[in-house]
Amino acid sequence: MLTKRIIPCLDIKNGRTVKGVNFVNLIDAGDPVALAKQYADLGADELVFLDISATLEGRKTMREMVLKVAEQVNIPFTVGGGISTVEDVDVLLQCGADKVSINSSAIKRPELINELVDKFGSQCVVVAIDAKQIKGKWFVHLAGGTIPTDINLFDWAKEVEKRGAGEILFTSMNNDGTKAGFANEALAKLSTELNIPIIASGGAGTVQHFIDTFVEGKSDAALAASVFHFGEIPILELKQKLKENNIPVRI
């Protein structure tokens, strides 16, 4: 059985790690390179860096950061934010990233998924989907969750898989930053209907939430930010608990 992955997420703005609730009220959470090294040393399986401002300056900062992270860590890491071309991806992979995450750009031009898969392979391509449950239905949102669409989460996820993406990173905007648990019902539906790995994001607050998303949500990996950044859940301790609950993890 494949081991379940624990993935700290670092949202980057102006070269710093930030964290908010429901995508707003951001506070500083530290230096991303130092945090990355710390997480790698503490047993994280992978890392995700998302440049949430992705301005021109942000891209330059991101490239420099990716080079530094690649020097410091020995675990795979994914970079996302403002990626819209094959060239963008080429630069980040050459700087040392293992995978890239695309979101709004994939919705605006779905062929981008095919282009990236053709050039770099599906194992490099993660499609991030931010969605919100409104009156019982899940709708995809763009631009860091700020622009609603009428696109159905499950329809879009199936298209993403069909176009060759290697993984889906699903963030529930309803759960994000609330520490009230992951959106396990939606995650279970994604995991059941698709054949590619699903990364759960949004809502981690306790060890039990991680157990629940692997058992009830059928998630392949769980991503979290503030519970790791502020030392609320030590990664090794979390993995020991998962193991005690017969959830396969790498320790």
Side-chain angles (χ1 to χ4, degrees):
M1 194 175 179
L2 285 175
T3 56
K4 303 292 188 179
R5 290 169 289 149
I6 299 298
I7 307 176
C9 178
L10 295 88
D11 289 331
I12 311 297
K13 188 170 187 182
N14 304 324
R16 298 288 292 176
T17 310
V18 293
K19 186 61 197 130
V21 177
N22 298 122
F23 284 48
V24 292
N25 302 327
L26 302 177
I27 56 170
D28 190 281
D31 171 56
V33 181
L35 274 173
K37 183 168 183 355
Q38 190 181 327
Y39 288 139
D41 293 344
L42 291 173
D45 297 295
E46 293 184 21
L47 297 166
V48 168
F49 296 88
L50 298 176
D51 181 0
I52 59 171
S53 49
T55 57
L56 217 54
E57 181 57 35
R59 281 193 193 150
K60 184 169 170 284
T61 307
M62 206 63 174
R63 283 202 296 271
E64 289 164 3
M65 190 205 74
V66 170
L67 282 165
K68 287 177 186 166
V69 170
E71 284 171 8
Q72 296 285 338
V73 307
N74 56 358
I75 57 173
F77 68 97
T78 302
V79 180
I83 294 169
S84 56
T85 66
V86 169
E87 290 72 29
D88 290 340
V89 174
D90 207 15
V91 168
L92 291 168
L93 293 178
Q94 283 190 41
C95 287
D98 297 276
K99 309 179 204 179
V100 293
S101 167
I102 54 173
N103 191 331
S104 303
S105 58
I107 293 164
K108 289 172 186 167
R109 204 172 68 80
E111 305 78 37
L112 178 62
I113 302 171
N114 304 71
E115 291 166 13
L116 296 180
V117 169
D118 289 347
K119 171 100 189 206
F120 307 108
S122 60
Q123 79 288 345
C124 280
V125 182
V126 179
V127 175
I129 306 176
D130 299 329
K132 194 173 194 177
Q133 190 176 32
I134 302 165
K135 293 181 180 171
K137 290 186 178 174
W138 286 93
F139 294 100
V140 174
H141 283 55
L142 302 183
T146 56
I147 303 170
T149 74
D150 58 1
I151 299 166
N152 175 278
L153 162 65
F154 304 102
D155 294 344
W156 174 233
K158 284 173 191 166
E159 183 175 346
V160 163
E161 179 180 46
K162 204 171 168 185
R163 288 181 179 274
E167 288 183 282
I168 285 174
L169 166 55
F170 164 55
T171 301
S172 161
M173 292 174 63
N174 306 71
N175 300 56
D176 182 71
T178 62
K179 298 187 181 176
F182 294 94
N184 291 323
E185 204 174 309
L187 285 158
K189 187 170 159 70
L190 285 169
S191 295
T192 303
E193 293 183 0
L194 277 72
N195 294 309
I196 57 176
I198 307 295
I199 304 167
S201 167
T206 66
V207 169
Q208 190 61 45
H209 292 154
F210 286 90
I211 295 168
D212 292 343
T213 202
F214 290 132
V215 177
E216 295 166 23
K218 300 183 169 65
S219 304
D220 297 280
L223 176 144
S226 56
V227 291
F228 296 142
H229 299 340
F230 303 121
E232 293 162 39
I233 301 178
I235 292 172
L236 202 55
E237 205 174 285
L238 168 60
K239 286 189 160 187
Q240 297 283 11
K241 289 282 185 199
L242 291 170
K243 202 170 182 185
E244 284 167 24
N245 283 270
N246 300 315
I247 295 163
V249 287
R250 179 186 66 86
I251 293 182

